[in-house]
Amino acid sequence: MPYCEAAKDQTTALCHHNDTDDKLNSSIKLFYRTYGRGPTKILLIIGLAGTHDSWGPQIKELTGTDSPNDEEAMTDESGGGCSGDGGGIEVCAFDNRGMGRTSVPVTKSEYTTRTMAKDSIALLDHLGWEKAHVFGHSMGAMIACKVAAMAPDRVLSLALLNVTGGGFECFPRLDRKTLSIAIRFLRAKTPEQRAAVDLDTHYTKEFLEEYVGPNTRRTILYQQYVKGMSATGMQSNFGFDGQVHACWKHKMTQTEIEQIRTARFLVSIIHGSDDVIAQICHARRLAEKLHPVARMVELHGGHLVSHERPEEVNRALIELMKASEAKISPHDWTNLPNKNSDTGMSFSSTSTEQRSYMISVLEKLQFFLFYLYGLFAMAFQNGRRLLQYLKPVRIGANHTQACIR
């Protein structure tokens, strides 16, 4: 099994292919896999609680295979993605720290999008990839942003799927459905319970209720989710809390945004319009900040739009790579209006600042309401437990008489 050892302090990185080798006690062992072979390189960074195989539909389309290179016989007959639809593409997908077969640090401070971006760069170093197309989903898209800002000379193009700006933007919209999902998620203790919640989190209701043969997608996906969680185990509390901490602390500074904009590689921001986790308004705002290098692609789907609408997502990714190879100018690539070119530039700038301020206030209000709801739910639950604990126990008459005697 291929592993990459990235030092915790991120000053060095050692890589190997022996999963029983424990050379460095103070390192993070990143589990990764490559698919296909060819000169075009793609690094896939998955999101919170996801593993490398969550990129399945994209790996299959981009490389023409879903068999990892480490499982294939290294013969001339095994062409991977060199021939066929893959067109000479090699893809690397991996498990982030805190998930899957990768190490699970127990300290929250070891989970930040910047640190995890350094993990990604260490993996590029090991693979010997000087440059690569970098695609990220959700938390993985936050990490991809950091990679692009920290090492822009190594990025050929950047795709951000279902991304937000971190912090308050990680909170979903406040409605009955979201609150119901949140409660069920907190109560989920088994793969079966977690799978049922994840389906409503990842996909739209209409997609889940579609029939594929005699069964609905919900039934089919539920079985797949339970099987996957039972095989790999549910994410540890250390890993989940750490990755949530990374999302909460994530922020792209204006300097980092400018580093991406001025690097001049093309960016595609792909988002599901019905995403209940990452609200699409935050993705649009990031796209506007990255103008003119960014293109906004809005698809009908949920948070896991890469699975719900794989054909459209794959088409958008391939268009991004082709446009990058053809060296299309950012102004020909973007589909966003250039607000700075308007005659009312100062008015537009002021309106944008006012809108950003109002959104910030609303986000903080939303967070406060979630916080109050959480306190109420915890108080109610603890109150019930306390009442059950204090509830007097009935003692039978015979037992009472025996005690008196």
Side-chain angles (χ1 to χ4, degrees), residues 39 57 73 109 117 147 169 207 277 285 340 342-343 348 381:
S109 60
V147 172
E169 293 187 9
F207 177 77
I277 297 179
R285 194 188 316 169
N340 291 334
D342 296 337
T343 55
S348 176
Q381 188 173 17

Side-chain angles (χ1 to χ4, degrees), residues 121-386:
I121 295 172
L123 185 52
L124 289 177
D125 291 338
H126 163 61
L127 295 170
W129 294 1
E130 293 184 7
K131 293 178 177 288
H133 299 277
V134 180
F135 302 161
H137 176 267
S138 193
M139 180 189 73
M142 301 180 196
I143 298 170
C145 283
K146 290 293 184 181
V147 172
M150 294 163 62
D153 57 323
R154 305 191 67 172
V155 178
L156 293 172
S157 70
L158 182 66
L160 308 174
L161 283 68
N162 298 81
V163 67
T164 71
F168 290 108
E169 293 187 9
C170 293
F171 284 95
R173 58 174 177 256
L174 185 61
D175 56 27
R176 178 184 294 182
K177 177 182 177 181
T178 306
L179 290 175
S180 173
I181 291 174
I183 294 172
R184 290 164 56 205
F185 180 85
L186 292 173
R187 291 178 176 176
K189 303 300 180 184
T190 66
E192 290 78 11
Q193 293 172 334
R194 179 64 183 272
V197 179
D198 283 354
L199 290 179
D200 290 328
T201 305
H202 293 162
Y203 305 100
T204 60
K205 182 179 179 180
E206 60 186 275
F207 177 77
L208 292 173
E209 299 309 317
E210 288 179 1
Y211 275 86
V212 180
N215 299 314
T216 62
R217 292 186 189 275
R218 184 185 294 274
T219 301
I220 298 171
L221 289 171
Y222 174 78
Q223 294 172 350
Q224 294 176 357
Y225 272 45
V226 172
K227 182 179 179 181
M229 291 182 193
S230 300
T232 61
M234 293 179 66
Q235 187 178 23
S236 70
N237 290 334
F238 289 124
F240 178 76
D241 292 345
Q243 290 191 350
V244 169
H245 176 264
C247 293
W248 177 249
K249 291 293 184 180
H250 174 75
K251 181 181 180 181
M252 292 297 292
T253 66
Q254 187 58 39
T255 300
E256 290 173 321
I257 293 292
E258 286 303 314
Q259 286 174 327
I260 296 176
R261 290 181 68 251
T262 57
R264 309 301 285 181
F265 52 75
L266 303 180
V267 181
S268 185
I269 297 180
I270 306 169
H271 212 96
S273 57
D274 296 310
D275 191 339
V276 298
I277 297 179
Q279 298 185 64
I280 195 169
C281 60
H282 302 312
R284 291 174 182 150
R285 194 188 316 169
L286 178 60
E288 291 173 359
K289 290 179 180 179
L290 292 173
H291 185 275
V293 299
R295 170 183 287 187
M296 186 71 199
V297 180
E298 300 182 16
L299 302 174
H300 178 62
H303 188 63
L304 207 56
V305 70
S306 55
H307 283 232
E308 187 168 346
R309 294 288 181 266
E311 294 84 5
E312 292 100 318
V313 169
N314 294 337
R315 189 182 308 121
L317 295 175
I318 292 172
E319 286 178 0
L320 173 64
M321 291 191 295
K322 288 183 176 179
S324 300
E325 293 169 0
K327 299 187 183 303
I328 291 178
S329 72
H331 291 284
D332 291 331
W333 168 253
T334 187
N335 59 356
L336 301 170
N338 184 4
K339 295 183 179 181
N340 291 334
S341 64
D342 296 337
T343 55
M345 182 177 61
S346 59
F347 174 78
S348 176
S349 176
T350 303
S351 300
T352 300
E353 292 177 359
Q354 292 175 344
R355 184 179 63 177
S356 297
Y357 173 76
M358 290 300 299
I359 290 175
S360 176
V361 171
L362 291 174
E363 286 171 348
K364 292 178 181 179
L365 177 60
Q366 182 181 19
F367 170 71
F368 178 69
L369 292 174
F370 265 108
Y371 178 72
L372 285 181
Y373 179 83
L375 287 179
F376 174 78
M378 289 177 61
F380 179 76
Q381 188 173 17
N382 290 334
R384 289 185 61 185
R385 290 177 181 173
L386 182 61

